[in-house]
Amino acid sequence: MSDTGPAGRPTVMVCITCRATDLGAASEEAPRPGNALADATLLAAAGTDGIAVLRVRCLGNCSRGPSAAIRCENTWTYIFGGLDPQRDGPSLIMGAQLLAQATDGIMPWRGRPESLKRGLIARIPPLNFREDPS
Amino acid sequence: MSDTGPAGRPTVMVCITCRATDLGAASEEAPRPGNALADATLLAAAGTDGIAVLRVRCLGNCSRGPSAAIRCENTWTYIFGGLDPQRDGPSLIMGAQLLAQATDGIMPWRGRPESLKRGLIARIPPLNFREDPS
């Protein structure tokens, strides 16, 4: 399938300032896992058509990193945490593809990589969102 | 000061599906604190000029609600959790005013209500964001 679906061009934003949360004092000096995740996501995006990957500092999810966000032009934006630089570059690209194909602007649960299910931090409506009834 | 500053019109999105996290099984039947927070935010916005308040279901921050997000037309979007329906309607409006006045699209730390400091869940770049160097 094309990577630029009804929802417009997908963008994956990877937080490059995220530190490992399990290294204690050593984490200040250690290589940033967020940077490794950004590299892995860029690599996974290389075989796709039209998925942008951006390095961001920072997404503010510091206590539950590594973090990344996914959005298309007219969709909700999804923020994920607890990602694994060794595994989740392809997961983020798969999530971006799912969102780009969505006709309702919502990333489907079905088919979503496991880390994008249990790692959901928050989601934000698109700019053209109209409020839900109370 | 005007509520619509350099960053454009501010919008506060309040999650109306957030439940109280300390009620256990009773929370299913209890009134939704998210709805109460939305009412309080609308009330606080009534004296302002041009701040939109929208009810949203849901922002996906279910384990750390009540939740709300703030953005202007050309700013970062901020998501907050652990909000208090009795207190934080005015806090959200004050945060929206701070963000609307920002010339760099970033909500200043100084002057930010306490609940918008310790309650930060994540933040997302504006649509015109260009990536940070690695």
Side-chain angles (χ1 to χ4, degrees), chain A residues 6-97:
Chain A
R9 189 183 191 207
T11 301
V12 181
M13 295 161 279
V14 182
C15 184
I16 57 173
T17 42
C18 277
R19 293 192 182 99
T21 52
D22 56 356
L23 292 179
S27 72
E28 188 65 40
E29 302 300 324
R32 298 286 171 108
N35 240 332
L37 179 62
D39 291 343
T41 308
L42 275 164
L43 193 66
T48 67
D49 176 26
I51 299 181
V53 179
L54 300 180
R55 296 169 189 268
V56 182
R57 58 183 68 172
C58 77
L59 293 175
N61 180 45
C62 311
S63 64
R64 299 196 290 181
S67 315
I70 302 175
R71 71 174 161 217
C72 300
E73 289 162 30
N74 301 301
T75 69
W76 289 63
T77 300
Y78 292 78
I79 308 110
F80 302 99
L83 298 171
D84 180 342
Q86 308 304 319
R87 185 196 58 211
D88 285 327
S91 311
L92 290 167
I93 297 303
M94 190 178 298
Q97 290 170 320

Side-chain angles (χ1 to χ4, degrees), chain B residues 15-35 58 61-67 82-83 85:
Chain B
C15 183
I16 58 173
T17 42
C18 278
R19 295 192 180 99
T21 52
D22 55 356
L23 292 178
S27 72
E28 187 65 42
E29 303 300 323
R32 297 286 171 110
N35 239 333
C58 78
N61 180 44
C62 311
S63 64
R64 300 197 289 181
S67 315
L83 298 170

Side-chain angles (χ1 to χ4, degrees), chain A residues 13 16 54-61 64 71 76 79 121-127 129 131-134, chain B residues 13 16 54-61 64 71 76 79 121-127 129 131-134:
Chain A
M13 295 161 279
I16 57 173
L54 300 180
R55 296 169 189 268
V56 182
R57 58 183 68 172
C58 77
L59 293 175
N61 180 45
R64 299 196 290 181
R71 71 174 161 217
W76 289 63
I79 308 110
I121 298 295
R123 59 174 207 165
I124 307 292
L127 285 177
F129 175 79
E131 79 167 7
D132 290 307
S134 58
Chain B
M13 294 161 280
I16 58 173
L54 301 180
R55 296 170 189 269
V56 182
R57 60 182 68 171
C58 78
L59 294 175
N61 180 44
R64 300 197 289 181
R71 72 174 160 217
W76 289 64
I79 307 111
I121 298 295
R123 61 175 205 163
I124 306 292
L127 284 178
F129 174 79
E131 77 167 6
D132 291 307
S134 57

